């Protein structure tokens, strides 16, 4: 029968997913390195278009995972003689959204852990810039718009999760 895997270890599927996501992060980094200089140049003449480009760049890993998930499912369904639509279903969109959240969440947490492992020495100018950023983040209307956008995005992700998961029976 073999030994049972300890519950604190991730499953092989989780490890494969993490490795594939890391590969996607590397590819995304290469694309970002090529695109960001052009977006920086575009800021001077068309800041909204540049920010749309930046937003598209930032969400692109989730879109790529959703499309790959959808194509993979279509291929498997075709082998079983099932049909699947041309556009990704909620489960493929959720796979992309989940991968996007994991990609960015892991990147942020890994950076924070590294700040604990090897904390930087901040110059007084950097501390003043950080204090200025914190002060501006709480500025009136802009903060209200940010809050509204945040709530709408979170609600959309929760709705996507609800639609992607099968309904469970309430009977125990």
């Amino acid at each position: 029968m073999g030994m049972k895997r300890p519950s604190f270890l991730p499953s092989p599927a989780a490890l494969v997913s993490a490795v594939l996501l890391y590969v996607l992060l590397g590819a995304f980094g290469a694309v970002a390195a090529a695109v960001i200089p052009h977006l920086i140049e575009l800021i001077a003449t068309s800041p909204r278009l540049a920010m749309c480009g930046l937003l598209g760049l930032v969400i692109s890993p989730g879109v790529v995972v959703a499309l790959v998930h959808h194509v993979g499912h279509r291929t498997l369904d075709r082998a079983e003689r099932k049909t699947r639509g041309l556009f990704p279903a909620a489960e493929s969109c959720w796979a992309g959204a989940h991968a996007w959240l994991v990609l960015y969440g892991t990147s942020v947490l890994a950076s924070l852990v590294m700040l604990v492992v090897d904390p930087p020495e901040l110059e007084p100018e950097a501390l003043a810039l950080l204090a200025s950023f914190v002060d501006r983040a709480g500025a009136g209307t802009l903060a209200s718009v940010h809050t509204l956008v945040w709530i709408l995005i979170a609600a959309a992700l929760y709705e996507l999760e609800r639609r992607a998961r099968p309904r469970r029976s309430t009977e125990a």
Side-chain angles (χ1 to χ4, degrees):
M1 275 183 108
M3 292 179 34
K4 183 179 176 191
R5 180 181 46 84
S7 62
F8 62 87
L9 290 178
S11 69
L15 290 172
V16 168
S17 294
V19 168
L20 290 174
L21 194 60
Y22 188 76
V23 170
L24 176 63
L25 179 62
F28 172 70
V31 170
V35 170
I36 287 177
H38 299 292
L39 293 175
I40 290 171
E41 288 177 12
L42 188 59
I43 286 175
T45 58
S46 184
R48 281 200 172 94
L49 183 59
M51 291 302 112
C52 284
L54 184 60
L55 181 61
L57 179 67
V58 167
I59 66 171
S60 66
V63 172
V64 167
V65 170
L67 293 174
V68 168
H69 186 272
H70 177 67
V71 169
H73 271 275
R74 281 189 71 180
T75 303
L76 293 173
D77 287 347
R78 191 170 292 139
E80 295 178 359
R81 304 216 191 286
K82 295 180 183 176
T83 59
R84 186 175 284 261
L86 177 63
F87 296 104
E91 66 182 346
S92 293
C93 291
W94 173 245
H98 186 260
W100 183 82
L101 292 167
V102 170
L103 186 138
Y104 284 107
T106 301
S107 297
V108 168
L109 287 175
S111 296
L112 291 174
V113 167
M114 291 310 298
L115 288 174
V116 171
V117 171
D118 186 21
E121 292 183 26
L122 293 179
E123 301 291 325
E125 297 84 23
L127 291 173
L129 180 63
L130 182 61
S132 170
F133 175 75
V134 170
D135 287 343
R136 286 181 19 152
T141 305
L142 186 58
S144 299
V145 171
H146 179 269
T147 301
L148 179 62
V149 168
W150 194 98
I151 290 170
L152 291 174
I153 291 170
L157 290 173
Y158 277 113
E159 179 64 15
L160 186 56
E161 168 70 7
R162 187 190 71 73
R163 290 183 185 181
R165 299 285 175 223
R167 297 206 182 255
R168 293 187 183 103
S169 170
T170 56
E171 301 171 10

